[in-house]
């Protein structure tokens, strides 16, 4: 930690890293200890806090040697200038200099004019060129009362960036196209047919693929979720929109397509141009939507295709049938009636099905399901 107003967020950061089962050792600069007490960090990290080069004569070598990740949050303009120029005049900057070969991530935080200053930008560019990763800053209200770029990234974003930094890049070179969320099939300009998909499964897949080094495009129906940083996010509404985007993108250069979207299977035969009066008696005639994945699966040159099967009941046979009839390489069965699984949950219990067999997994977070899908995909592709 270095000394900035954003230092208060570092207490929460240390706690959340612990929750994610990381072992956390905090190094505080003297300036950071003016904003937050070392005791708060000791409590949050459940570990000793280091402050001075002279606390322990070999700490500047031992601490970076033992670390998988050196994360500086907040990283002030002064600390970034020191890191970029090899200045080692306190414990943190000396650890930074000694951390060769250790993945390093900085979360800059400062006034917008400082962030835009050419001298600072040179330092930041030079750190990035030497492989230092950066998360944030974001736009918003700054402690000085001004508005602009310079707010330290929020804790969940820093945790995500830390996870990405620590993940082996075993999908590097892959171009992964993922669909998420529901589609809306309009009856009239204000009413539509849809389903309960929140997009959580598809977004988890996008984060996992990005963390593993893939170039990721996420085509998503309407959700309340924040697009994952580092992912190209394309918003669509109807199944026709989704079909258009998937066809264009899968055809061009996707090497993997993962269809986690709950595409509406039916839509109204006609869409009224104006709001249907509620006094009118209404009979809706439905027609099937076009099957997106089958369109891609039936094509010539096509990506590796993973589908999802939302079933009501333990029916993996039906899922396998879908995989075969739609030309997929793999399908992920989930029983959407099971508590903790399917729509709008943070967890899922799935069976991974491919042409070589089935793998039933325990109930786990959607992030872990996403990683299990890519683990299996890599085994099949190998
Ligand atoms: O978004 P969440 O709230 O996290 O919920 C996750 C989920 C339950 C939506 C997800 O895990 C899931 O099961 N997604 C697939 C839902 C679905 O449409 O299943 P299906 O069995 O009806 O379709 C099989 C496959 O065909 C799916 O990959 C689907 O994307 C695809 N499909 C379906 C219809 C259509 N017109 N075109 C398609 O491509």
């Amino acid at each position: 930690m270095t000394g900035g107003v954003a230092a208060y967020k570092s207490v929460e950061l240390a706690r959340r890293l612990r929750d994610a089962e990381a072992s956390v050792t905090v190094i505080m600069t003297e300036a950071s200890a003016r904003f937050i007490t070392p005791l708060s960090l000791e409590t949050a990290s459940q570990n000793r806090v280091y402050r001075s080069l002279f606390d322990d004569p070999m700490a500047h070598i031992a601490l970076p040697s033992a670390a998988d990740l050196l994360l500086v949050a907040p990283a002030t303009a002064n600390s970034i200038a020191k890191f970029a120029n090899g200045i080692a005049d306190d414990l943190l900057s000396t650890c930074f200099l000694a951390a060769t070969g250790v993945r390093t991530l900085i979360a800059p935080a400062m006034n917008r004019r400082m962030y835009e200053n050419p001298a600072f930008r040179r330092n930041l560019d030079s750190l990035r060129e030497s492989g230092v990763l950066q998360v944030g800053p974001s736009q918003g209200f700054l402690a000085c009362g001004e508005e602009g770029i310079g707010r330290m990234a929020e804790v969940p974003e820093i945790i995500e960036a830390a996870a990405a930094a620590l993940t082996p890049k075993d999908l590097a070179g892959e171009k992964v196209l993922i669909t998420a969320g529901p589609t809306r099939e309009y009856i009239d300009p204000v009413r539509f047919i849809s389903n309960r998909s929140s997009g959580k499964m598809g977004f988890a897949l996008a984060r996992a693929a990005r963390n593993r080094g893939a170039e990721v495009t996420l085509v998503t129906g309407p959700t309340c979720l924040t697009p994952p940083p580092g992912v190209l996010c394309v918003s669509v509404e109807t199944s026709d929109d989704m079909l258009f985007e998937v066809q264009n993108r899968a055809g061009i250069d996707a090497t993997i397509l993962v269809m986690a979207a709950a595409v509406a299977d039916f839509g109204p035969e006609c869409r009224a141009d104006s709001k249907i009066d509620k006094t009118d008696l209404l009979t809706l005639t439905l027609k099937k939507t076009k099957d997106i994945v089958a369109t891609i699966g039936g094509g010539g040159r096509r990506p590796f295709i993973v589908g999802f099967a939302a079933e009501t009941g333990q029916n993996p046979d039906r899922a396998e049938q879908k995989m075969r009839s739609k030309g997929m390489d793999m399908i992920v069965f989930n029983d959407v009636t099971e508590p903790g699984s399917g729509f709008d949950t943070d967890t899922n219990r799935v069976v991974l099905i491919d042409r070589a067999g089935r793998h039933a997994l325990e109930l786990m977070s959607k992030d872990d399901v996403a990683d299990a899908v890519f683990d299996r995909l890599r085994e099949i592709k190998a």
Side-chain angles (χ1 to χ4, degrees):
M1 285 175 62
T2 66
V5 179
Y8 75 92
K9 291 187 192 170
S10 301
V11 180
E12 174 75 5
L13 178 60
R15 264 198 70 101
R16 294 293 156 237
L17 285 167
R18 290 261 335 159
D19 292 349
E21 293 173 20
S23 144
V24 182
T25 306
V26 181
I27 302 170
M28 295 181 80
T29 60
E30 278 317 300
S32 73
R34 288 178 175 248
F35 289 89
I36 296 291
T37 67
L39 185 60
S40 305
L41 269 307
E42 209 170 293
T43 313
S45 67
Q46 305 206 334
N47 211 346
R48 176 178 170 187
V49 169
Y50 290 80
R51 290 177 62 185
S52 159
L53 267 171
F54 310 104
D55 284 347
D56 175 340
M58 279 303 133
H60 64 291
I61 303 298
L63 292 177
S65 304
D68 295 308
L69 180 73
L70 174 55
L71 164 60
V72 187
T76 57
N78 180 52
S79 63
I80 288 169
K82 286 201 231 173
F83 301 156
N85 292 286
I87 296 171
D89 65 353
D90 62 7
L91 180 58
L92 177 60
S93 53
T94 312
C95 282
F96 198 97
L97 199 61
T100 47
V102 179
R103 267 158 294 199
T104 308
L105 173 67
I106 55 170
M110 66 201 67
N111 169 274
R112 71 178 170 84
R113 275 172 285 155
M114 292 167 69
Y115 191 73
E116 279 156 8
N117 185 297
F120 170 74
R121 304 299 301 189
R122 278 196 297 277
N123 290 331
L124 187 62
D125 288 347
S126 130
L127 277 186
R128 284 200 297 227
E129 275 158 29
S130 58
V132 171
L133 303 166
Q134 179 184 347
V135 55
S138 60
Q139 297 272 349
F141 285 106
L142 306 171
C144 53
E146 292 181 13
E147 204 181 337
I149 188 147
R151 278 178 68 82
M152 185 166 93
E154 296 302 326
V155 169
E157 204 187 328
I158 298 177
I159 304 255
E160 231 181 280
L166 289 167
T167 307
K169 306 295 174 226
D170 58 2
L171 291 181
E174 300 285 5
K175 296 190 173 174
V176 183
L177 179 60
I178 296 170
T179 65
T183 63
R184 292 176 173 174
E185 312 306 319
Y186 278 89
I187 298 166
D188 67 16
V190 298
R191 304 178 181 99
F192 53 78
I193 295 172
S194 191
N195 58 64
R196 292 174 42 226
S197 171
S198 63
K200 286 179 183 174
M201 191 63 248
F203 277 57
L205 286 154
R207 282 193 298 272
R210 176 210 55 197
N211 289 355
R212 297 169 78 142
E215 192 181 315
V216 183
T217 303
L218 178 63
V219 176
T220 174
T223 75
C224 300
L225 305 176
T226 310
V231 165
L232 174 64
C233 203
V234 181
S235 297
V236 296
E237 258 199 294
T238 66
S239 58
D240 278 345
D241 298 342
M242 190 171 274
L243 173 69
F244 177 81
E245 292 296 343
V246 170
Q247 256 180 342
N248 274 346
R249 292 163 195 279
I252 299 169
D253 62 356
T255 57
I256 297 168
L257 168 66
V258 188
M259 286 289 302
V263 185
D265 290 315
F266 303 99
E269 198 165 56
C270 330
R271 171 184 173 161
D273 290 336
S274 54
K275 187 179 169 188
I276 300 169
D277 196 298
K278 67 178 171 199
T279 56
D280 289 349
L281 268 183
L282 184 65
T283 304
L284 268 183
T285 308
L286 301 178
K287 64 167 190 200
K288 274 191 181 173
T289 56
K290 289 200 190 90
D291 200 297
I292 302 172
V293 73
T295 314
I296 309 294
R301 194 179 146 267
R302 64 172 188 79
F304 186 98
I305 302 177
V306 183
F308 272 69
E311 303 292 342
T312 50
Q314 283 301 317
N315 202 351
D317 290 346
R318 239 173 80 97
E320 185 166 344
Q321 250 171 31
K322 282 182 191 174
M323 175 186 82
R324 292 182 187 279
S325 67
K326 297 189 188 202
M328 303 177 199
D329 300 290
M330 179 176 165
I331 197 159
V332 183
F333 160 87
N334 46 186
D335 175 358
V336 295
T337 59
E338 188 182 312
S341 276
F343 293 114
D344 204 13
T345 51
D346 293 323
T347 51
N348 211 357
R349 198 166 73 84
V350 303
V351 182
L352 307 181
I353 303 170
D354 54 67
R355 284 160 204 277
R358 296 180 184 182
H359 302 264
L361 306 182
E362 298 300 313
L363 183 72
M364 58 178 75
S365 72
K366 284 185 174 168
D367 285 321
D368 287 343
V369 170
D371 271 319
V373 168
F374 289 119
D375 287 345
R376 181 65 196 142
L377 174 151
R378 275 182 42 79
E379 280 168 18
I380 299 171
K381 279 189 97 186

